[in-house]
């Protein structure tokens, strides 16, 4: 079975689906998976393995591939052709679904490199203070509501909104950090492809991405909890 | 009727067999095809384009009739007239009882399969078998209209149907002798029909409120490519619920007046009929009245009157429930209501003014109602059939799966492997190993749904993944789950060490396994000859009943005074012969007697027409003039005695 690594050299010609088969399917005509069973989404779409993807270019590539490979195009050619088209189109769909969102793309690149460990994120001290304030505001609100204190609940809700706004600002900052880290990963990937092997900068860039992604997920969980409180 | 076993010779282009699009509805079904000019057309029968999804059985448990004639039996023989089969598809017995409430027939769970069985006069049927009766009716209708055999079909399902419900629909197609080219989502089919004439680019919301289900889909069109962005819905919400609510209200009022209809199946059916008529009338009128016949519980007719504000207040909660999936679908597509360029209305329930008003308020624009909401889905299905069989259209549908697919993990928790709203075909590969030495298989429980716990999701199947016996943890099996373009799951396992690949049988939790379908197909084939004869008799009988009815209507008008007693006796004699011929249960005597009756009524038809024309000069409503009969159905012109 062909194993495609994150450092494997792939110079994709965008939209050139004629090249799809040798990349995606191994010598038995089977789907090539990496060691964790993940298909190579970049290779499927014929795109270079970079996080800085042009969204419009991705959309156009996806649509042209799907128009060509969709099983409905093969309905007159019998069950085997349809089954093959199902497999190919599912790969294109799966690749597009994962790569079209920047943060899913980051997570996928790490997962493909076997580098997405469930590592506990350690929030910095100032964030912990904010989370502490947040918890207090939530408790105050619940308490005030429990006692039927409309004014108190209103004030607590106000505090909660301020705290949430601060978390959202922080989340936006983390997104910006992730973009910067992604650009560094792309540059390291360029270097690795030139060198034909993994370079230290790439390992470093992955570590950085993993840490930023962990931060982002921590904040998302917080925001989900806040949204939940807001609907109560 | 001929049973066509699925394409043994799938020859392209030179095919003389037709392909149709079928909307298999909860209440009504339709069949459509694409004509030579490339336009989709509905195929109408003598009773119009709709075939009520109702199946009537005789006392012996043999099929009696399907569609309009079966609908007419609902009140007469509620215990052997089946409706709303779609609500039973892919469900377990307990669910069917919960879903449909009090049923006039018994529901069973048969040994060896959890699929529900409906008992009618001592015979048991699965929902796919019952749906197959409706599909055969549609197939037959198309074969008569197109003058050639129909072998293949695209059949639509609610977008929110799960794997079991889709599989059940596909099985029904096979049992009806149809090769099911594709299962297409109803809102997507509707968008295809609209997209044909509308803008090539843009975002569309399809609001599909049918008889038994509610669906909403958000789609993006790009020059021939129809991409579904998100879909949502409720498979337990439809026009039926509105009828049910009205029936309950009416039954409550009757109970207050000392009339208890509970336990009177025929009266409950009459109430249901009244509720439907009132609902339909209130879409165009401010008040509606229905004279309800409650014999034998009550002498004379009771007038039920409902005004629109009362009706709207009653149904408002149901309409509000449809808006919840709409907001969710927008959110899932990452869009605001204002981003939608067009809103398309599908399904009979969208004729209700309150529904249109609330949808307009939500999306901030007037919805499209140009194409008949009852027909648009079948037209789209025919287009999809044309896309797949002719290759003459540069159009493509890219749909999504409505529900997430997951597998059971430790502690009864569901691990999602394909998220809902993923474009299909979609796949996911997971690797598994063993926990015990020399274990020969891994059992996987596959589920569908959005909740975290196994008990809250829908069990699809249990899979047995074969593993070569080895010390625990050594085997490595990659299992690929593929949801195909029909939204149906396929599973393949691959031994990573040996590279051998194997298709894994999906044993459905609710539904028929392949052997059962094959057995039913064989049975249907065995019965094919008797089915044809039965079918011809049923057709002849319906035609005869229509002519007799029309003749009796004509005799009740002033035309009666224009014919002499001899002629009247002649006609009555021929009517009696037709009745006698029907009693033989064979088509030929009925056709012969019917021909004589038609001959005997030629003069009556002439004078009835002349009288009607004369009346029409004074009263322009010719249809009304033609029928002074008591039956409102008689006002349809095609029910008149051979007037032309």
């Amino acid at each position: 079975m062909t194993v495609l690594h994150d450092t494997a050299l792939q110079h994709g010609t965008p939209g050139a689906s004629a090249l799809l088969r040798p990349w995606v399917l191994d010598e038995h005509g089977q789907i090539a998976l990496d060691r964790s069973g993940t298909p190579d989404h970049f290779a499927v779409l014929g795109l270079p393995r970079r996080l800085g993807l042009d969204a419009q270019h991705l959309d156009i590539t996806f649509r042209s591939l799907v128009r060509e490979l969709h099983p409905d195009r093969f309905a007159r050619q019998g069950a085997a052709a349809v089954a093959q088209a199902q497999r190919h189109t599912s790969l294109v769909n799966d690749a597009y679904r994962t790569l079209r969102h920047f943060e899913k793309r980051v997570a996928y690149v790490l997962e493909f490199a076997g580098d997405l460990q469930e590592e506990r994120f350690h929030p910095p001290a100032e964030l912990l203070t904010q989370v502490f304030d947040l918890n207090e505001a939530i408790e105050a609100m619940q308490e005030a509501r429990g006692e039927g204190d409309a004014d108190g609940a209103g004030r607590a809700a106000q505090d909660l909104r301020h705290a949430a706004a601060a978390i959202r600002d922080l989340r936006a900052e983390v997104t910006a950090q992730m973009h910067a880290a992604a650009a560094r990963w792309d540059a390291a990937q360029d270097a690795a492809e030139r060198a034909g092997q993994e370079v230290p900068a790439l390992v470093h860039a992955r570590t950085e991405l993993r840490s930023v992604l962990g931060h982002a997920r921590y904040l998302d969980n917080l925001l989900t909890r806040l949204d939940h409180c807001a609907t109560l | 009727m001929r049973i066509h076993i699925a394409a043994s010779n799938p020859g392209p282009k030179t095919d003389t067999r037709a392909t149709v699009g079928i909307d298999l509805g909860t209440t009504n079904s339709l069949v459509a095809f694409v004509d030579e000019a490339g336009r989709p057309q509905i195929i109408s029968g003598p009773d119009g384009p709709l075939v009520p999804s109702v199946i009537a059985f005789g006392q012996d448990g043999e099929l009696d009739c399907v569609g309009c004639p079966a609908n007419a039996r609902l009140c007469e023989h509620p215990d052997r007239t089946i409706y709303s089969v779609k609500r039973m598809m892919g469900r377990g017995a307990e669910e069917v009882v919960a879903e449909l409430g009090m049923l006039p027939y018994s529901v069973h769970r048969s040994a060896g399969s959890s699929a529900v069985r409906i008992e009618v006069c001592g015979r048991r049927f699965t929902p796919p078998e019952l749906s197959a009766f409706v599909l055969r009716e549609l197939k037959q209708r198309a074969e008569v209209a197109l003058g050639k055999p129909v072998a293949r079909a695209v059949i639509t399902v609610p977008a929110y149907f799960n794997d079991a419900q889709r599989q059940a629909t596909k099985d029904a197609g096979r049992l009806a002798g149809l090769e099911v080219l594709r299962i297409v989502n109803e809102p997507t089919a509707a968008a295809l029909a609209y997209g044909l004439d509308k803008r090539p680019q843009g975002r569309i919301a399809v609001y599909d409120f049918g008889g038994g289900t509610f669906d909403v889909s958000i789609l993006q069109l790009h020059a021939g490519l129809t991409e579904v962005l998100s879909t949502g819905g409720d498979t337990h919400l439809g026009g039926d619920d509105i009828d049910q609510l009205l029936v309950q209200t009416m039954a409550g009022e009757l109970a207050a007046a000392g009339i208890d209809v509970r336990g009177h199946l025929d009266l409950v059916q009459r109430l249901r009929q009244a509720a439907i008529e009132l609902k339909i009338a209130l879409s165009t009128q401010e008040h509606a009245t229905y004279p309800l016949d409650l014999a034998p519980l009550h002498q004379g007719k009771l007038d039920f009157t409902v005004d629109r504000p009362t009706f709207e207040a009653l149904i408002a909660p149901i309409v509000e429930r449809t808006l919840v999936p709409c907001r969710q679908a927008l959110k899932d597509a990452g869009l605001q209501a204002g981003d939608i360029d067009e809103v398309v209305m599908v399904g009979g329930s969208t004729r209700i003014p309150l529904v249109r008003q609330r949808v307009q308020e939500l999306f901030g624009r007037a919805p499209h109602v140009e194409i008949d909401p009852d027909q648009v889905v079948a037209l789209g299905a025919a287009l999809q059939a044309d896309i797949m069989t002719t290759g003459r259209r540069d159009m493509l549908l890219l749909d999504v799966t409505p529900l997430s697919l997951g597998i059971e993990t430790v502690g009864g928790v569901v691990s999602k492997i394909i998220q809902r709203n993923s474009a299909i075909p979609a796949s996911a590969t997971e690797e598994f190993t063993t926990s015990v030495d020399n274990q020969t298989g891994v059992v996987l429980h596959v589920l569908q749904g959005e909740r975290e716990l196994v008990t809250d999701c829908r069990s699809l199947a249990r899979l047995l993944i074969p593993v070569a016996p080895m010390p625990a943890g050594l085997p490595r099996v990659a299992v690929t789950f593929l949801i195909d373009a029909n939204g149906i799951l396929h599973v393949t396992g691959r031994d990573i060490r040996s590279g051998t690949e194997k298709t894994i049988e999906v044993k459905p939790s609710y539904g028929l396994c392949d052997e059962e379908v094959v057995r039913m197909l064989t049975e249907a084939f065995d019965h094919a000859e008797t089915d044809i004869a039965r079918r011809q008799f049923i057709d002849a009988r319906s035609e005869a009943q229509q002519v007799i009815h029309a003749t009796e209507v004509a005799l009740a008008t002033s035309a009666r005074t224009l014919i002499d007693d001899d002629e009247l006796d002649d006609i009555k004699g021929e009517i009696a012969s037709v009745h006698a011929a029907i009693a033989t249960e064979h088509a030929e005597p009925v056709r012969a007697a019917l021909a004589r009756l038609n001959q005997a009524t030629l003069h009556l038809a002439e004078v009835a027409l002349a009288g009607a024309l004369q009346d029409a000069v004074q009263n322009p409503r010719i249809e009304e003039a033609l029928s002074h009969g008591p039956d409102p159905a008689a006002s349809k012109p095609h029910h008149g005695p051979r007037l032309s």
Side-chain angles (χ1 to χ4, degrees):
Chain A
M1 182 173 63
T2 314
V3 175
L4 297 168
H5 289 279
D6 118 338
T7 48
L9 296 184
Q10 288 137 19
H11 300 281
T13 311
S17 61
L19 296 174
L20 185 79
R21 280 162 198 87
W23 277 346
V24 176
L25 304 179
D26 65 16
E27 63 274 22
H28 307 295
Q30 299 301 333
I31 300 159
L33 307 169
D34 86 330
R35 38 179 187 262
S36 62
T38 320
D40 188 335
H41 295 324
F42 287 100
V44 167
L45 297 179
L47 295 172
R49 175 171 293 275
R50 297 291 180 277
L51 289 170
L53 274 183
D54 175 0
Q56 205 181 355
H57 180 70
L58 179 68
D59 287 351
I60 291 167
T61 305
F62 164 70
R63 278 180 220 138
S64 66
L65 279 172
V66 125
R67 276 179 203 268
E68 194 181 326
L69 299 171
H70 196 277
D72 286 2
R73 287 265 178 270
F74 299 87
R76 290 178 298 157
Q77 293 172 28
V82 170
Q84 169 141 319
Q86 300 269 24
R87 274 219 306 276
H88 288 168
T89 308
S90 75
L91 285 174
V92 171
N93 281 336
D94 300 344
Y96 179 60
R97 183 163 60 245
T98 307
L99 297 187
R100 69 198 295 197
H101 299 289
F102 172 65
E103 291 188 5
K104 274 195 198 166
R105 199 151 73 221
V106 170
Y108 166 71
V109 158
L110 292 175
E111 186 194 342
F112 195 81
D115 215 357
L116 190 71
Q117 276 90 28
E118 285 295 320
E119 200 174 294
R120 201 182 146 79
F121 172 71
H122 300 287
E126 63 187 74
L127 180 55
L128 282 176
T129 316
Q130 278 180 308
V131 173
F132 185 76
D133 291 348
L134 212 58
N135 282 334
E136 280 209 323
I138 291 170
E139 271 170 34
M141 194 174 75
Q142 280 163 349
E143 207 169 297
R145 278 189 186 159
E147 290 166 4
D149 174 6
D151 286 350
R155 277 194 306 277
Q158 185 74 13
D159 289 346
L160 204 59
R161 275 195 290 277
H162 283 304
I167 301 285
R168 284 205 175 83
D169 288 347
L170 188 55
R171 181 67 176 83
E173 268 175 48
V174 171
T175 305
Q177 284 168 21
M178 206 185 303
H179 277 283
R184 283 190 284 278
W185 185 86
D186 281 358
Q189 184 72 14
D190 284 343
E193 285 183 13
R194 276 195 305 272
Q197 61 180 42
E198 179 130 310
V199 296
L202 194 58
V203 179
H204 184 260
R206 277 207 301 267
T207 310
E208 193 186 0
L209 277 175
R210 200 173 63 225
S211 153
V212 182
L213 193 66
H215 198 169
R217 287 186 174 167
Y218 182 88
L219 295 178
D220 286 342
N221 286 341
L222 265 183
L223 287 168
T224 307
R225 215 179 119 215
L226 281 174
D227 283 346
H228 180 67
C229 289
T231 58
L232 286 180
Chain B
M1 184 180 7
R2 290 289 301 278
I3 301 293
H4 299 276
I5 293 290
S8 54
N9 169 26
K13 283 172 197 166
T14 53
D15 221 331
T16 52
R17 301 165 308 166
T19 306
V20 294
I22 291 176
D23 174 2
L24 183 61
T26 310
T27 321
N28 293 300
S29 297
L30 293 97
V31 56
F33 78 111
V34 172
D35 65 17
E36 303 262 300
R39 303 291 308 174
Q41 308 276 356
I42 297 284
I43 301 172
S44 271
D47 301 302
L50 301 178
V51 174
S53 307
V54 182
I55 309 122
F57 291 89
Q59 263 177 323
D60 50 358
E62 289 293 320
L63 176 71
D64 195 341
C65 52
V66 175
C68 279
N71 211 19
R73 302 280 175 83
L74 267 176
C75 296
E76 212 180 319
H77 300 300
D79 56 325
R80 46 187 162 101
T81 310
I82 316 290
Y83 63 98
S84 285
V85 176
K86 193 171 177 178
R87 294 191 124 174
M88 308 173 196
M89 297 286 265
R91 295 209 152 121
E94 294 81 5
E95 280 177 298
V96 167
V97 172
E99 169 91 10
L100 295 172
M102 283 280 292
L103 286 170
Y105 29 82
S106 56
V107 171
H108 299 269
R109 177 186 175 155
S110 61
S113 164
S114 48
V116 64
R117 297 279 194 288
I118 306 301
E119 185 169 321
V120 188
C121 301
R123 282 184 71 186
R124 289 186 183 183
F125 298 95
T126 60
E129 285 175 289
L130 293 169
S131 276
F133 288 124
V134 178
L135 289 172
R136 283 201 196 108
E137 178 74 24
L138 295 164
K139 178 175 185 273
Q140 159 94 9
R141 171 179 280 203
E143 285 172 344
V144 168
L146 303 177
K148 54 180 168 180
V150 170
R152 294 179 298 189
V154 167
I155 304 179
T156 61
V157 295
Y160 221 56
F161 253 23
N162 65 31
D163 178 273
Q165 293 168 306
R166 286 165 195 270
Q167 189 65 59
T169 306
K170 216 178 162 190
D171 291 343
R174 276 178 76 190
L175 292 173
L178 290 165
E179 182 194 347
V180 180
L181 280 181
R182 263 292 284 281
I183 297 289
V184 175
N185 293 334
E186 286 157 10
T188 317
L192 207 57
Y194 264 97
L196 197 60
D197 300 314
K198 297 286 163 191
R199 58 168 83 196
Q201 310 283 337
R203 294 191 189 101
I204 297 186
V206 182
Y207 178 98
D208 181 356
F209 197 10
T213 54
F214 173 73
D215 273 328
V216 58
S217 288
I218 311 286
L219 306 97
Q220 169 107 46
L221 304 187
H222 334 253
L225 183 70
T226 304
E227 185 186 354
V228 180
L229 301 178
S230 65
T231 197
D234 189 335
T235 46
H236 303 262
L237 185 59
D240 281 3
D241 294 291
I242 291 175
D243 304 343
Q244 195 57 35
L245 204 54
L246 266 177
V247 167
Q248 280 165 8
T249 310
M250 290 163 78
E253 283 181 27
L254 286 174
I259 304 171
D260 187 356
V261 296
R262 279 174 307 172
H264 295 266
L265 291 174
D266 51 336
L267 293 189
V268 173
Q269 274 309 329
R270 269 183 246 163
L271 274 188
R272 188 171 160 264
Q273 208 56 46
I276 293 169
E277 301 271 343
L278 286 167
K279 174 182 77 172
I280 291 170
L282 285 167
S283 285
T284 48
Q285 296 159 214
E286 287 297 322
H287 300 269
T289 300
Y290 187 90
L292 193 59
D293 177 6
L294 289 171
L297 278 192
H298 185 270
Q299 294 307 309
K301 291 191 176 181
L302 272 180
D303 276 350
F304 252 99
T305 301
V306 183
D307 61 15
R308 201 187 277 174
T310 310
F311 176 65
E312 292 188 343
L314 187 68
I315 68 165
I318 292 181
V319 180
E320 289 310 308
R321 271 175 65 195
T322 67
L323 301 181
V324 178
C326 290
R327 295 191 191 97
Q328 185 63 45
L330 277 171
K331 196 176 163 205
D332 288 346
L335 299 173
Q336 309 280 324
D339 297 327
I340 301 297
D341 300 305
E342 316 269 358
V343 181
V344 168
M345 296 295 247
V346 184
S349 305
T350 61
R351 289 203 176 86
I352 298 171
L354 181 69
V355 170
R356 290 188 181 177
Q357 182 198 323
R358 297 295 291 129
V359 171
Q360 177 157 357
E361 282 165 11
L362 176 69
F363 290 103
R365 61 183 58 246
H368 282 287
V369 290
E370 296 95 324
I371 307 185
D372 185 327
D374 287 326
Q375 301 188 1
V376 64
V377 168
L379 294 170
L383 270 174
Q384 175 67 14
D386 196 55
I387 291 168
M388 294 180 71
T389 52
T390 67
R392 66 176 159 178
R393 290 174 193 277
D394 187 23
M395 290 171 84
L396 191 65
L397 267 188
L398 199 54
D399 223 314
V400 299
T401 178
L403 299 159
S404 298
L405 187 80
I407 44 181
E408 178 171 352
T409 57
V410 192
V413 173
V414 179
S415 162
K416 297 215 176 84
I417 53 175
I418 297 176
Q419 298 287 334
R420 77 192 153 100
N421 287 325
S422 293
I424 49 173
S427 61
T429 300
E430 297 278 317
E431 201 183 307
F432 299 92
T433 187
T434 52
S435 53
V436 177
D437 285 348
N438 296 322
Q439 195 174 329
T440 54
V442 176
V443 176
L444 290 182
H445 186 197
V446 187
L447 302 112
Q448 216 168 15
E450 306 317 313
R451 305 279 295 277
E452 299 302 321
L453 295 180
V454 168
T455 46
D456 297 325
C457 285
R458 176 89 195 163
S459 170
L460 282 191
R462 283 174 201 275
L463 311 172
L464 177 69
I465 317 289
V467 178
M470 272 186 240
L474 264 191
R476 291 179 61 201
V477 184
V479 180
T480 298
F481 302 84
L482 177 94
I483 300 179
D484 71 11
N486 300 313
I488 293 174
L489 176 69
H490 304 263
V491 183
T492 45
R494 186 170 189 220
D495 187 322
I496 294 179
R497 297 187 188 280
S498 69
T500 52
E501 184 157 316
K502 175 160 196 173
T503 299
I504 293 159
E505 190 202 356
V506 179
K507 195 160 193 232
S509 303
Y510 298 91
L512 306 174
C513 63
D514 224 38
E515 300 138 43
E516 284 175 289
V517 175
V518 169
R519 181 179 52 73
M520 287 173 183
L521 258 178
T522 322
E523 281 173 9
F525 201 68
D526 290 344
H527 287 148
E529 289 305 313
T530 50
D531 278 0
I532 295 168
R534 185 77 191 157
R535 165 84 216 189
Q536 282 173 343
F537 163 68
I538 288 161
D539 285 352
R541 185 185 58 189
S542 341
E543 195 186 338
Q545 283 166 342
Q546 281 185 21
V547 172
I548 291 173
H549 178 78
T551 308
E552 283 165 352
V553 168
L555 286 174
T557 68
S558 55
R560 162 70 189 91
T561 58
L562 300 172
I563 60 166
D564 59 33
D565 288 349
D566 281 354
E567 196 176 341
L568 181 65
D569 287 346
D570 246 15
I571 292 172
K572 283 185 172 168
E574 294 303 348
I575 289 178
S577 328
V578 175
H579 280 304
I582 289 175
T584 67
E585 303 222 336
H586 288 288
E588 271 323 300
V590 178
R591 296 227 174 270
L594 187 58
R596 288 196 304 274
L597 174 62
N598 274 326
Q599 192 65 37
T601 53
L602 274 179
H603 178 243
L604 172 68
E606 265 168 42
V607 296
L609 179 63
L613 286 176
Q614 208 165 16
D615 285 353
V617 178
Q618 289 132 20
N619 177 0
R621 296 179 63 184
I622 189 163
E623 287 165 26
E624 202 173 274
L626 264 173
S627 65
H628 292 211
D631 186 341
S635 65
K636 289 180 191 164
H638 61 255
H639 278 257
R642 305 281 155 133
L643 292 177
S644 50

